[in-house]
Structures are given as structure tokens and as C-alpha cells.
Amino acid sequence: MRKAAQQEQAADRLTGTPETLHVEGLQVHYGGVQAVHGTTFDVAPGEAVGIIGANGAGKTSTLKAVLGLVARQGTSMRYGGTDLLRTPASRMVRLGIGYVPEGRHVFPGLSVEKNLFLGAYVRKWDAAIKEQAAEVYELFPVLGEMRSRLAGALSGGQQQMLAMGRALMSRPSLMVCDEPSMGLSPILVEDILSVLQRLHSTGLSILLVEQNARLCFEAVDRCLVMEHGQVVKTGQVEELRTDPDVRRIYLGI
Ligand SMILES: Nc1ncnc2c1ncn2[C@@H]1O[C@H](COP(=O)(O)OP(=O)(O)OP(=O)(O)O)[C@@H](O)[C@H]1O
Ligand SMILES: [Mg+2]
């Protein structure tokens, strides 16, 4: 089988069935400082939605609030039939929400393979977990070649792949990724983009935060623009590409 077709099949088996993510009136405060001011958006099943914005705009805070990793308030926040405002962070993986945090956070002292297996901690230990790892290796061949190496010995781009692979081990239906392109060379950014596109093409929902608006627009269907904790614009990628403010501020053209 051709390598691309093989990778596509692997991506297909890596994901569960998505539900609608509904976020309404989301607020995050850090002490007296409000970082997110009433954000509202949906991610439909199988949709890829991006969030772009400058440093400090509240992108990471929005994702962490969805995941329950920071204290948050909101009018309503649901994934399918589950009330996320009443769901602790520790339950999110079981709901099918996979998270690739900003800065990767792989375990440097553990092997690549052990890092992957940790991503499957909510699943019963069985042969399916090894199969899932084999599928991650098809999607990211370099991880397969380096499976016995310590994660701390990987390059930044390889660690990014490992963080994505680890999130895929729990068979998520929604992948939440925070700045996967940060600090990567243009070639590795292309690799990450093609993996995101491949996963999206298999029906996985994606919520992607990126300061790199060009990459974000290639990877998603629709995008929110955040400034100072507020969503100031939202639209299909084709609309945003022709928006004069977006072109000037985020695309530099
Ligand atoms: N743990 C924290 N305690 C206090 N303030 C915080 C904390 N985390 C973030 N902030 C503040 O909240 C605001 C939003 O930060 P956030 O990390 O969500 O932005 P961001 O859009 O992800 O930025 P970047 O592109 O730099 O990652 C910023 O003003 C930041 O200083
Ligand atoms: Mg951030």
C-alpha cells in the first residue's frame, strides 16, 4: 500500500465519534484580572475551528477553561450531552477530548513508547493499546524509529509529534491543540499541518489555537479572532482571508 494511503487508514482508526462542543459566555479570571470575557462558539461534529490572536489575547486560557484546567464560569458549556462546567479535567479524556498543551509537556525521562502508553491511561490495558501505538507510528514514522529513545532526547518537532501522538492514544473525537507550530522550522510546520489535515479528513473535530494565522487557515474550516480576552471576529476561513484587518494584522499583507 502507498505510504500516504496507509497513513490515512491509520488516522481513520485513531479517532472516535465526535459530538458538538458548545461554549457560551465563557469567562476566566486570574485573581482580579479577567483573561476571557464571555466567549461563545461551537465546534460542530467533524468541524475544525481555529482561534488566532496576539500574545496574551486569552487563547490558551480559553482552551484550559474548556478542559477544566483553570477556574471558569459560563452560561453553558457542553460536549454532546455532557455539562463541561460540572466535569473535572480528569474526566475530559474519557469524554473523548484530547489535549495537546502549549509547550508539549512530554515526560523527558521516559521513552517515546512509554509516553504514548501514558496517553492511553483511561483504557484497559490490552492489545488494542499496542495497535493504537502502531497506528500512531504509521502517522508519525519518526516516533516509531525512536520508540525506545528518551523523550527528552527528541527535537522540538519530534516532541510535538509525540505530544500529538500521546493525545491520540485515548482515541479522542475532539483534539484541542495549543500552538503546535511554536518554535518549529517551516518544514516541520508543514508536517504538523499535514497531520492535522489528515486527522480532520477522517472526521475528527479539531479546536486549534495558533499565532501562525497562515497555518491555522490551512488547517481549519472556521476561525475566531481573539483580542484582549474577547472574540472580535469569527468567520469561515475564506471570509477571513479577504478581511482587511485580518490581512493587515495577522497575515501581514
Ligand atoms: N496563571 C495565570 N495567572 C495570572 N494571569 C495569567 C495566567 N495565565 C495567563 N494569564 C494572563 O491572562 C491573559 C491571557 O493569557 P493566555 O495565556 O490565555 O494568552 P494567549 O492568547 O494564549 O497568549 P500566547 O499567544 O502568548 O500564548 C494574559 O494577560 C496573561 O498574562
Ligand atoms: Mg497561549
Side-chain angles (χ1 to χ4, degrees):
M1 204 188 302
R2 280 187 313 114
K3 191 175 151 214
Q6 242 173 20
Q7 285 184 334
E8 199 152 312
Q9 254 194 17
D12 206 11
R13 290 188 300 257
L14 281 164
T15 63
T17 308
E19 314 247 25
T20 298
L21 172 69
H22 174 67
V23 176
E24 195 178 325
L26 182 65
Q27 299 190 26
V28 177
H29 295 85
Y30 297 109
V33 178
Q34 185 162 4
V36 178
H37 297 256
T39 303
T40 296
F41 63 94
D42 278 1
V43 181
E47 192 181 26
V49 173
I51 305 179
I52 59 170
N55 289 123
K59 306 180 299 296
T60 297
S61 300
T62 301
L63 295 191
K64 284 187 172 170
V66 169
L67 273 291
L69 294 167
V70 291
R72 75 277 203 228
Q73 295 90 42
T75 315
S76 141
M77 189 158 69
R78 314 188 67 79
Y79 188 57
T82 306
D83 181 356
L84 296 186
L85 290 171
R86 291 167 185 275
T87 304
S90 57
R91 295 281 311 170
M92 296 296 173
V93 170
R94 280 181 207 279
L95 285 181
I97 304 180
Y99 179 43
V100 186
E102 189 174 21
R104 293 136 211 177
H105 299 290
V106 299
F107 295 95
L110 295 180
S111 71
V112 166
E113 187 141 270
K114 288 228 166 78
N115 267 273
L116 284 184
F117 289 166
L118 281 176
Y121 69 94
V122 295
R123 300 176 54 181
K124 205 166 78 183
W125 176 259
D126 61 14
I129 290 181
K130 285 205 148 170
E131 277 169 32
Q132 189 81 356
E135 283 156 21
V136 169
Y137 295 146
E138 271 180 46
L139 201 58
F140 299 107
V142 69
L143 295 182
E145 290 157 23
M146 300 195 160
R147 68 183 77 185
S148 309
R149 290 255 199 109
L150 292 184
L154 301 185
S155 74
Q158 291 161 348
Q159 288 189 18
Q160 183 61 51
M161 292 176 198
L162 180 55
M164 292 177 79
R166 185 179 57 190
L168 287 167
M169 287 297 291
S170 59
R171 283 193 99 242
S173 51
L174 167 67
M175 273 275 268
V176 176
C177 299
D178 197 350
E179 308 254 16
S181 80
M182 201 191 321
L184 301 188
S185 70
I187 290 178
L188 283 174
V189 170
E190 282 304 310
D191 285 352
I192 297 292
L193 173 63
S194 82
V195 166
L196 286 169
Q197 288 171 330
R198 210 174 296 140
L199 290 170
H200 181 34
S201 74
T202 69
L204 182 83
S205 301
I206 293 175
L207 179 57
L208 172 68
V209 156
E210 260 302 335
Q211 268 195 57
N212 181 339
R214 273 170 218 283
L215 163 70
C216 197
F217 289 172
E218 295 287 323
V220 303
D221 309 309
R222 207 154 56 75
C223 198
L224 320 178
V225 181
M226 281 193 83
E227 285 175 13
H228 307 297
Q230 318 233 14
V231 176
V232 294
K233 246 181 239 290
T234 167
Q236 297 292 324
V237 164
E238 310 85 75
E239 294 165 40
L240 292 176
R241 278 191 212 275
T242 57
D243 182 288
D245 291 336
V246 171
R247 287 171 71 82
R248 185 172 46 84
I249 301 171
Y250 298 103
L251 297 173
I253 44 181

